[in-house]
Amino acid sequence: MPSPLRILVIGGGAAGFFGAVRAASLRPDAQVTLLERGKTCLNKVLISGGGRCNLTHACFDPKTLVRAYPRGGRELLGPFHRFGPADTAAWFEAQGVAVKTEADGRMFPQSDRSESVADALMLAAQAAGVQVRTQMPVSGIQPAPAGGWLVTAGRETLEADRLLIAAGSSERIWAQLAALGHRIELPVPSLFTFNIRDPRIEGLAGISAAAARASLLACGIEAEGPLLITHWGLSGPAILKLSAWGARSLHALGYETEVRISWTSVQADAVQADLAALRRTEARRLLRSCPLHGLPLRLWERLAEAAGIPADRRCADLGKQEAGALAAQLTAASFPVQGKSTFKEEFVTAGGVALEEVDFRRFGSRLHPGLFLAGEILDIDAITGGYNFQAAWTGGWIAGEAMAE
C-alpha cells in the first residue's frame, strides 16, 4: 500500500489554517499537519478589528478590490476571481458564523466576537483531520534528497511531500527562504499612525473630520477619508491609506516628513466663498462660533487661532487676508511628521518573498516544486478594512487546493 500524501503547513494564522483545512477536505487520505511556534493559534484573528475580527470587505468586483493593495494587487486579480469576499463570507456562514456588513463595507461576524471566527477555523481543522501542533518553532527547511521537504521544528525533523509556508511576518522564516534562493523584499511597517506635535491639534484627541484629504508631497501620494486626532498625532483611514501606499518611501525618510491636511473635501476657493457668505448670514456672530463643513467647534477654533483671527472677530468684520489665512488652514495645513505608532493592536508589514518568484495560479514557488507560500510571508499588503485577511483566505484556499492535487 502506498504511503499517504504528507502535507505540512508552517504557521497557525489565517492563511495557514485555510490552506490546511482546504487541503485536508479535498484529500481525506492525506496526512495534514499544521505547525505553530506559539502556545496558541490564530492570535492575529483574535485581536483584529478591536477583538471583533474584520473578516473581509464587501467589495465583490476583483478589479475594484485589488485597488486596496499597494503591493500585490496585480497578482491577486486572478486569485480573487477564484476566491473572493463573497466566498469568504459564504464559507464562514457554512461553518455557522453569521456575517454582517457595516456601513463602511467592513464585514464582521454577527456576534462581534473574533472568537467566533477562531473557533470555526479550529473546528473545521478538527473535522477535516488536520493535526495542529503548537510550540513547534521551525529552525530548518530544506529539500529532501529523495524529493519533498525536511522541516526541523522543536527537536523533531518532519518529512513532507508538499509544504505551505504561511508564517506571517517572520524574519526567521524569511531567512530560511532566502537560503533556499528566494529574494526577500525589505520588510517595512505598513498601516501606522503619524506622530505629530503641533499646537493646532494638541489636547484635541478623539476629535475627527469626516471627509478629509491628506497628502505626502515628498512621496507624491494623497488619500481621502475620515481623519482622527490622537494623543500622538493623526490617524484614521486617510492617514492609514497614506502609511500603506507610502510605506517604503516613509521608511526611507526615517518617518520624518510633512503631511498636508485638508480638513474638508471642499477646495480653497469654495471655502473662501463660504466664508464670504458667513459675513452676510451670520454677520453679528463671532466667527469662532460658526464652524463650516461640519468641523468640530474646538478644531475650528484652533484653526481660526492659527490663522491669526482674534477671538472677538465677528463674521461681518472678517478681513480678506484673514479669510485667506483661514482657508489655507482648512485646506492646506502642513504638519511635521516625527515618527510613527502602531495602529491599535494591528501590525501589517510591506515586504516578503518577491512576487515574481510565485505562481499565483497555485501560490506555488517558481523555484521549488512542492513549496507553497501564502499570507504575509509574501510581499503583499493592503489598506485597513479586512483586505489583508482576504488576501490570506484567498492564498490559503488556492494553495490548499494545489497541495491536494
Side-chain angles (χ1 to χ4, degrees):
M1 177 182 291
S3 56
L5 178 69
R6 298 165 300 181
I7 295 174
L8 193 61
V9 177
I10 299 174
F17 261 82
F18 235 51
V21 169
R22 184 59 175 161
S25 299
L26 294 173
R27 287 292 297 270
D29 59 321
Q31 292 180 354
V32 181
T33 305
L34 184 148
L35 306 179
E36 164 57 38
R37 68 175 181 172
K39 293 182 179 180
T40 58
C41 296
L42 299 165
N43 292 325
K44 203 161 188 177
V45 168
L46 288 169
I47 67 172
S48 74
R52 295 196 298 147
C53 189
N54 184 185
L55 278 171
T56 184
H57 203 92
C59 180
F60 307 115
D61 174 17
K63 290 182 180 179
T64 303
L65 182 61
V66 297
R67 296 175 191 163
Y69 296 82
R71 286 149 291 273
R74 179 171 60 87
E75 290 79 7
L76 288 171
L77 181 59
F80 282 154
H81 277 95
R82 291 176 57 187
F83 193 92
D87 303 297
T88 296
W91 189 88
F92 280 101
E93 293 271 4
Q95 311 308 310
V97 179
V99 177
K100 65 177 179 178
T101 303
E102 300 200 337
D104 59 3
R106 294 180 300 162
M107 302 181 77
F108 292 89
Q110 191 78 44
S111 66
D112 278 331
R113 296 178 63 254
S114 57
E115 290 84 358
S116 301
V117 177
D119 290 348
L121 289 165
M122 292 292 291
L123 288 171
Q126 183 180 10
V130 177
Q131 183 182 14
V132 177
R133 301 187 62 185
T134 56
Q135 295 183 280
M136 292 289 284
V138 171
S139 57
I141 303 170
Q142 57 184 332
W149 296 91
L150 297 175
V151 174
T152 303
R155 298 181 179 180
E156 301 178 42
T157 297
L158 297 90
E159 298 181 48
D161 301 300
R162 292 162 191 176
L163 173 64
L164 169 60
I165 299 179
S169 303
S170 170
E171 293 187 6
R172 177 181 293 183
I173 301 299
W174 276 325
Q176 296 283 342
L177 287 166
L180 290 170
H182 272 291
R183 181 165 62 84
I184 308 300
E185 299 286 0
L186 174 69
V188 300
S190 181
L191 284 191
F192 47 84
T193 63
F194 291 175
N195 293 351
I196 295 170
R197 298 190 67 176
D198 190 285
R200 288 169 290 181
I201 60 173
E202 187 176 352
L204 299 185
I207 285 178
S208 62
R213 287 196 311 274
S215 307
L216 290 172
L217 300 184
C219 307
I221 55 176
E222 180 178 286
E224 298 181 356
L227 191 66
L228 174 68
I229 300 173
T230 72
H231 292 290
W232 300 274
L234 293 176
S235 183
I239 296 298
L240 295 172
K241 289 175 187 176
L242 283 188
S243 73
W245 289 96
R248 296 201 182 283
S249 298
L250 287 165
H251 177 78
L253 292 168
Y255 305 101
E256 292 192 358
T257 186
E258 284 193 356
V259 60
R260 180 174 291 177
I261 300 297
S262 175
W263 298 97
T264 173
S265 59
V266 177
Q267 299 297 323
D269 55 350
V271 169
Q272 293 251 33
D274 292 335
L275 288 171
L278 277 183
R279 295 192 193 100
R280 300 187 302 272
T281 61
E282 305 291 345
R284 304 179 68 175
R285 293 181 63 189
L286 296 178
L287 176 83
R288 293 197 185 186
S289 67
C290 301
L292 290 174
H293 307 296
L295 286 183
L297 178 61
R298 292 173 65 200
L299 175 60
W300 173 262
E301 291 173 338
R302 287 289 181 85
L303 297 177
E305 181 181 354
I309 299 172
D312 60 356
R313 177 74 78 239
R314 295 186 307 159
C315 292
D317 301 326
L318 182 67
K320 185 175 181 181
Q321 188 173 351
E322 291 174 334
L326 180 53
Q329 288 294 332
L330 284 167
T331 62
S334 290
F335 291 85
V337 179
Q338 299 168 318
K340 60 175 178 58
S341 296
T342 302
F343 175 57
K344 297 182 180 179
E345 299 88 359
E346 299 181 28
F347 186 82
V348 174
T349 298
V353 176
L355 302 186
E356 61 267 25
E357 297 178 352
V358 180
D359 177 359
F360 283 92
R361 295 169 298 181
R362 298 162 52 80
F363 278 75
S365 165
R366 294 187 186 276
L367 278 58
H368 298 283
L371 176 63
F372 300 85
L373 304 151
E376 285 191 53
I377 201 75
L378 298 169
D379 185 24
I380 291 176
D381 63 285
I383 62 176
T384 185
Y387 299 103
N388 284 294
F389 269 138
Q390 184 56 54
W393 308 131
T394 296
W397 182 272
I398 293 174
E401 288 189 340
M403 291 191 296
E405 290 175 357

